[in-house]
């Protein structure tokens, strides 16, 4: 599922805070516009007390 698709889910819409990391566990810079991340795949997510942590990775579709 891409980040753009994930943003339509209730788990994203109801989160108080969203933190985004890449596949190496490095936080993605807040200065990168969300639109630039929309094509990336959601590799995993974790929710705790309103905090949503996402792991994004390269989409296989980008290489096809």
């Amino acid at each position: 599922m891409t980040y753009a698709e994930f943003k339509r889910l209730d788990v994203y819409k109801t989160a108080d805070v969203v933190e985004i990391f890449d596949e190496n566990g490095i936080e993605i810079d807040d200065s990168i516009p969300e639109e630039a991340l929309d094509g990336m795949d959601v590799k995993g997510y974790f929710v705790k007390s309103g905090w949503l942590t996402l792991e994004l990775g390269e989409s296989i579709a980008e290489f096809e």
Side-chain angles (χ1 to χ4, degrees), residues 52-63:
L52 171 62
T53 303
L54 291 170
E55 179 186 329
L56 299 183
E58 294 296 323
S59 171
I60 193 72
E62 294 176 19
F63 301 105

Side-chain angles (χ1 to χ4, degrees), residues 37-56:
L37 304 175
D38 282 345
M40 296 185 80
D41 284 336
V42 175
K43 301 295 184 179
Y45 69 93
F46 178 77
V47 179
K48 184 174 182 180
S49 300
W51 287 70
L52 171 62
T53 303
L54 291 170
E55 179 186 329
L56 299 183

Side-chain angles (χ1 to χ4, degrees), residues 1-21:
M1 171 180 299
T2 66
Y3 180 58
E5 293 167 332
F6 191 87
K7 290 190 299 186
R8 290 182 258 171
L9 300 178
D10 285 341
V11 69
Y12 183 90
K13 292 178 183 179
T14 59
D16 294 326
V17 177
V18 178
E19 293 181 319
I20 303 174
F21 294 84

